[in-house]
Amino acid sequence: MGHASPQSKVIPAEDGYIVRRYEPADRDKFLALYEEVFEKTRTPEWFDWRYGGPHTDEVRMFLAEKDGEIVGAEPFISFEIRGGNETVCALQPADAMVHPDHRRNGLLTRITEAAIDYYTDNGPSFIFNFPNQAAIGAFLKLGWVQVGEVATAYRIQKPSVFLKSDRAKRFGPVADVLSAAGYRARDAATLAASRRRSDDEVTVTRHAEIPAKRLARLYESAVPPRLHAPRTEAFYNWRFGNPQWDVAAYSAKRDGEIVASIVACTQETRGITTTKILDALPMVDAEAECEAFDRLLRVAIADHEDADAIAVAEDTIPPSVLSRLNFLRNDRFPMSMVGSPTPVVTRPLVPEEEAQWIVGGQHLADRNDWRLSFAEQDTSV
């Protein structure tokens, strides 16, 4: 891209730390640090998927180094974001970390400031991400603004998993909802009623591989004006290609035409198996296809009956369908007692005096101007 070498302007700080851009020789040391911090082993294939993709020709990452060892890192996932008729490049911080022996030295702040300084007016238009409640203050101090929140709706399939002794105290307020003997009976009745009410003209197909070209055509038939990642064929082939995920795609047809689709993935984390609905089409006038979404979800639920829970972000599936199928949002009682919506923050990557908050007529700082599914989020399952 014609930039100077990552090492060309690096000067150690007084405490011996060097903050610099990532270079290809760093990958193995980065993966070792990742395993040390997150206690998860990741492969080179996973690395290439997560930090590569169709929207970048380089790994976008800044590192902290001391005595030749990588002790901190902040990688970025590269997205395209579309608003109205305009599409721009955006970055999403992911997997920021510091080795336990080097914490409380302000390294993440230094790394983030170096990244902002480099990427400002140097390619990407803005940064957006989904920090946890504990981290959001640090981003606000560095110039991010809070856009709003994204709620998640959960369909609890195995209440007993969430009510084991080590979780019982945390789940106390929802114990009656989840552990009642009639929960499964009510759920079975809900699915049976949904089957009787569903549109017999809709047929669902399970796909062994994501039909990227067909889904991209369905997306293009009804593109939302709100800010979102455009569902191109390249996006589908990349975004859902995580080698750690078990991915399933479903399409609904009426009169021989695909009218709706969902993409789901499943993975076990900390002893809980969750299936997430990562993506759904159409993204415009989804309420008009409620019965197609109902049928798609019922088939996915049946295919993933061994999952402890199924989760979906609030902008993805019509709320009436989720309510019908016993999904509970974490911004409402009772799930609000054990969880909370995910904050959304953003900031432009241009000089402050030229800061541009509008993309295609949509305002970056207005939650109503975003359409956010799990596909836009740095999501793990």
Side-chain angles (χ1 to χ4, degrees):
M1 298 183 68
H3 300 307
S5 164
Q7 302 283 13
S8 60
K9 297 182 180 179
V10 170
I11 300 174
E14 291 183 2
D15 55 8
Y17 289 106
I18 291 173
V19 174
R20 61 175 177 83
R21 288 173 62 206
Y22 168 91
E23 52 187 16
D26 296 321
R27 188 176 66 180
D28 289 346
K29 288 185 177 181
F30 170 88
L31 290 173
L33 178 63
Y34 186 102
E35 184 171 359
E36 172 75 22
V37 172
F38 296 118
E39 299 181 343
K40 295 178 181 179
T41 301
R42 297 304 193 200
T43 64
E45 291 76 20
W46 175 89
F47 180 97
D48 293 342
W49 164 77
R50 187 156 176 80
Y51 310 123
H55 309 311
T56 181
D57 57 4
E58 63 177 354
V59 173
R60 288 171 163 143
M61 180 188 306
F62 270 72
L63 305 170
E65 181 181 79
K66 190 171 187 179
D67 299 329
E69 293 297 320
I70 294 173
V71 298
E74 183 164 30
F76 297 87
I77 302 173
S78 298
F79 280 88
E80 280 188 342
I81 296 295
R82 180 171 178 172
N85 293 320
E86 184 179 2
T87 300
V88 300
C89 179
L91 298 183
Q92 186 173 140
D95 310 318
M97 57 185 169
V98 173
H99 189 282
D101 295 341
H102 296 267
R103 291 172 185 167
R104 301 186 183 280
N105 291 311
L107 291 183
L108 276 184
T109 297
R110 294 191 228 178
I111 294 170
T112 303
E113 289 176 336
I116 291 172
D117 182 63
Y118 178 77
Y119 292 121
T120 290
D121 210 20
N122 195 11
S125 295
F126 67 93
I127 299 180
F128 73 109
N129 56 306
F130 305 83
N132 59 41
Q133 296 288 350
I136 189 170
F139 287 102
L140 298 181
K141 289 179 181 178
L142 289 170
W144 274 253
V145 298
Q146 184 164 356
V147 177
E149 296 178 324
V150 183
T152 300
Y154 294 92
R155 186 178 191 277
I156 307 300
Q157 310 225 113
K158 295 184 179 179
S160 60
V161 172
F162 296 88
L163 296 167
K164 291 177 181 178
S165 58
D166 61 338
R167 299 186 179 95
K169 182 180 294 186
R170 179 169 176 248
F171 271 80
V174 293
D176 290 341
V177 175
L178 300 183
S179 65
Y183 180 85
R184 280 191 172 275
R186 291 197 307 274
D187 197 42
T190 293
L191 293 177
S194 181
R195 279 193 293 273
R196 290 193 298 270
R197 188 167 52 234
S198 65
D199 187 345
D200 290 336
E201 296 179 355
V202 173
T203 59
V204 172
T205 300
R206 302 172 181 84
H207 300 275
E209 297 181 354
I210 293 178
K213 186 175 293 186
R214 280 176 282 175
L215 295 188
R217 284 200 300 266
L218 178 59
Y219 160 78
E220 286 291 347
S221 70
V223 178
R226 297 163 67 190
L227 295 158
H228 67 284
R231 270 47 170 187
T232 62
E233 183 178 355
F235 176 86
Y236 277 112
N237 286 331
W238 160 64
R239 188 68 180 128
F240 307 118
N242 183 351
Q244 304 287 332
W245 287 348
D246 177 12
V247 177
Y250 303 83
S251 62
K253 284 186 178 181
R254 185 186 295 113
D255 299 328
E257 296 291 329
I258 294 179
V259 295
S261 66
I262 61 174
V263 177
C265 79
T266 303
Q267 189 176 336
E268 180 180 315
T269 302
R270 294 187 294 276
I272 295 179
T273 301
T274 304
T275 296
K276 282 191 173 182
I277 307 302
L278 297 179
D279 182 59
L281 297 174
M283 300 173 77
V284 176
D285 296 329
E287 290 285 350
E289 292 298 345
C290 279
E291 297 309 318
F293 281 123
D294 178 280
R295 172 119 358 151
L296 285 165
L297 274 181
R298 283 193 295 103
V299 173
I301 287 168
D303 284 355
H304 297 89
E305 62 181 1
D306 290 336
D308 300 319
I310 296 178
V312 57
E314 67 174 286
D315 289 352
T316 313
I317 301 288
S320 60
V321 177
L322 298 179
S323 177
R324 183 190 302 177
L325 296 177
N326 284 346
F327 282 79
L328 304 171
R329 286 171 60 125
N330 65 355
D331 61 347
R332 299 172 186 169
F333 182 84
M335 293 304 291
S336 59
M337 302 298 293
V338 295
S340 60
T342 303
V344 187
V345 296
T346 187
R347 62 157 291 160
L349 283 172
V350 294
E352 188 171 344
E353 65 274 10
E354 301 173 13
Q356 176 59 262
W357 291 87
I358 304 296
V359 175
Q362 307 299 299
H363 201 292
L364 294 180
D366 188 342
R367 176 67 179 89
N368 292 325
D369 285 356
W370 284 87
R371 190 190 185 284
L372 295 168
S373 71
F374 284 134
E376 280 83 13
Q377 298 184 43
D378 166 27
T379 184
S380 59
V381 295

